[in-house]
Amino acid sequence: MALTTHELNAPDTVARATQGAEDLVGSDLLGEKLILNMGPSHPATHGVLRLVLELDGELIAKVTPDIGYLHRGDEKIAENMQYNQFVPYTDRLDYLAPLANNVAYALAVEKLMGWELPPRGKAIRVICCEMARISSHLLGLGAFALDLGAMTVFLYTFTEREKLYNLIELLTGARFTTSYTRIGGQTRDLPETFLPQLRDFLKQFPARLDESDNMLTRNRIFVDRTRDIGVISGEQALDYGLTGPNLRGSGIDHDLRKKHPYLDYQNYDFDIPVGSVGDCYDRYLVRLEEMRQSVRILEQAIDKLPDGPINVTDPKNFPPPKTAVLTKMEELIHHFIIHTEGIDAPPGEVYFGAENPKGELGFYINSRGGGTPHRLKIRAPSFCNLSVLPAILPGHMMSDIVAILGSLDFVMGECDR
């Protein structure tokens, strides 16, 4: 469902945006070029991203993204750890949505194991993922607005994000690096006071979001800084492997929650917002609407939350309840074996991709059996989304860089991995 509007013709807009780039790349008529570094310590790069800019006056002739300053070797670390031991490392990928990272990784390993969570376990994970989506988009929207001079919006979005962090702390015991999910379930069930507090948040949040919407969507300065800027056509978005709001902002109706449902997302009623032009303004509108759709999903998840177990039932590979471990010898031995040797995964290879706030976060696992993966590869959406910069930045003014970077809403933690 197309929930964003533009009074522009997309092909014409793309042509206008790329015309300047072709002129600059093809000739030196405008004078001598200047090489300038932006980052890796620039606040508008939202992390340790370095852009090597080739400028012709104020116009960008060429840009080369330079990444890798934050490289931590997460994939190789995973290959030397038991599956459950790697869960805290997924917090540090898109560290703005750790709950969603935990779930995506756990679902990949559970696909390898052939496990399926009971209904209550799935619903709790949906709640985690949609809370993470709202939290991540709030920061993305606030930082985007701040980059373009709208500091009030930044303060408003961070106020709402703190309320979510209070809920996350109640659920997981941590505010930032949650490590709540486990392979085969969650560490614990929902606290008694969690759902009432979440419901209270959902009642007041749409009105708070409307305040930011009213301050930006028809603001002359914001519109001038974002409309027709950083246009990515649908064909370009597909060619460069863009996913998430950046892909949908270019008019491609693709969301893994709808196209390849997991966690019973097919049972929830929500819409997928898409853009019509693919500029910074469209990407902003898509994220704004996605937060409203996440509210719809969360309300349904609360209303339909089933009773029952939250973890899989596998006596051989899933730890026994803590009360049994503390009172019975056989359960204590079983617990000791699982936590020292890891789950006994079968040989094989799997890939699972989840619709994270930044796009498709995927995990490829190659197993030769046993408690650790033989190979693990992370498909980080920010890494793929940044690859489009050399194609869309040339031809723009230097001041447009911060708008384009903010609209892509990347995080270097998962880009460099």
Side-chain angles (χ1 to χ4, degrees), residues 277-314:
V277 174
D279 56 9
C280 295
Y281 190 66
D282 261 352
R283 292 189 284 275
Y284 152 76
L285 290 175
V286 165
R287 290 188 178 91
L288 196 66
E289 184 59 32
E290 279 194 5
M291 285 188 272
R292 296 190 173 102
Q293 298 303 318
S294 290
V295 170
R296 288 179 62 188
I297 295 172
L298 285 167
E299 289 173 341
Q300 294 171 62
I302 294 173
D303 292 339
K304 298 189 295 185
L305 185 67
D307 295 324
I310 62 171
N311 299 329
V312 299
T313 302
D314 186 336

Side-chain angles (χ1 to χ4, degrees), residues 52-123:
V52 183
L53 304 172
E54 187 173 320
L55 301 176
D56 197 330
E58 285 289 312
L59 288 173
I60 302 168
K62 182 181 179 182
V63 60
T64 305
D66 186 9
I67 63 173
Y69 291 90
L70 198 63
H71 183 60
R72 295 164 294 178
D74 280 344
E75 292 163 338
K76 187 54 65 178
I77 289 173
E79 294 166 10
N80 292 277
M81 280 188 160
Q82 297 170 20
Y83 288 102
N84 262 316
Q85 289 177 330
F86 188 64
V87 170
Y89 286 82
T90 63
D91 291 340
R92 279 80 175 169
L93 295 174
D94 178 3
Y95 41 77
L96 308 177
L99 283 170
N101 301 340
N102 295 166
V103 169
Y105 170 66
L107 286 169
V109 183
E110 288 158 9
K111 183 177 180 179
L112 175 66
M113 295 295 296
W115 286 348
E116 184 172 359
L117 260 65
R120 183 176 178 86
K122 291 181 181 179

